[in-house]
Amino acid sequence: MWRDLADAHQAGRLRVVAGRASDFFGPGVIASAVGDRFFTPICRGARVDVVGDPDRLHTYTYVPDFGEALVRLSETPATWGSAWHIPNATTGTTREFAATAAGLAAAQLRLRPVRAWQLRLIGTVVPPIRETVEMLYEFDEDHVVDHTAYAAVLGDHATPLDDAVAATVAAYTAPRCGAQR
């Protein structure tokens, strides 16, 4: 799809720019590897199931940073016609990310990796899980998003990870917010 859009941009039929992110998190994020099925159990001190190896590096994208990046890209003609990796906080492991959330929620961290065979089995009845299996390489190998090119043009405005996770935990621990809706 990007190639078609880039071709249309080059031909002068459209003005396009793309912002690329990793797995989303933040207040209100639901369908993500680190959405409600991640933060709700962590904030309650319950076990959280994680896909892949929690000790591999994995970049996570804070949704407010993504929104800001899309606006900056749309307003900067020098970026048009290209795809950009948007700013993300420092990359760590999923275990470190989860430990930060648990610490901020004053909860014990209880992680359980979900194995590929388990996802395949669940995927026989839950189609979105079936799609996760083909993306496992992002969680079984290091998955680091480099936004150096973006930062050189538009600056590095990524929210520090502790601040972004703190805002997310606050949303999940606020009164009447046991789970995001």
Side-chain angles (χ1 to χ4, degrees), residues 80-104:
W80 299 346
S82 298
W84 301 82
H85 288 122
I86 62 93
N88 296 283
T90 304
T91 299
T93 68
T94 297
R95 186 178 307 279
E96 292 165 342
F97 183 85
T100 298
L104 290 165

Side-chain angles (χ1 to χ4, degrees), residues 18-19 65-66 68-73 79 84-87 146-158:
D65 290 343
F66 186 60
E68 181 176 342
L70 293 179
V71 170
R72 288 184 184 204
L73 288 168
T79 67
W84 301 82
H85 288 122
I86 62 93
D146 178 6
H147 64 270
T148 304
Y150 176 102
V153 176
L154 297 168
D156 187 348
H157 56 83

Side-chain angles (χ1 to χ4, degrees), residues 1-11 13-14 16-18 20 81-83:
M1 182 168 58
W2 169 247
R3 287 186 188 124
D4 290 343
L5 289 170
D7 289 346
H9 176 85
Q10 292 293 7
R13 293 190 312 272
L14 291 175
V16 299
V17 64
R20 294 186 175 159
S82 298

Side-chain angles (χ1 to χ4, degrees), residues 43 166-180:
C43 290
T168 306
V169 167
Y172 278 90
T173 57
R176 300 181 14 223
C177 294
Q180 291 285 299

Side-chain angles (χ1 to χ4, degrees), residues 93-119:
T93 68
T94 297
R95 186 178 307 279
E96 292 165 342
F97 183 85
T100 298
L104 290 165
Q108 179 182 358
L109 178 61
R110 297 172 48 211
L111 283 184
R112 180 177 72 173
V114 178
R115 306 293 178 211
W117 69 266
Q118 292 169 308
L119 290 172

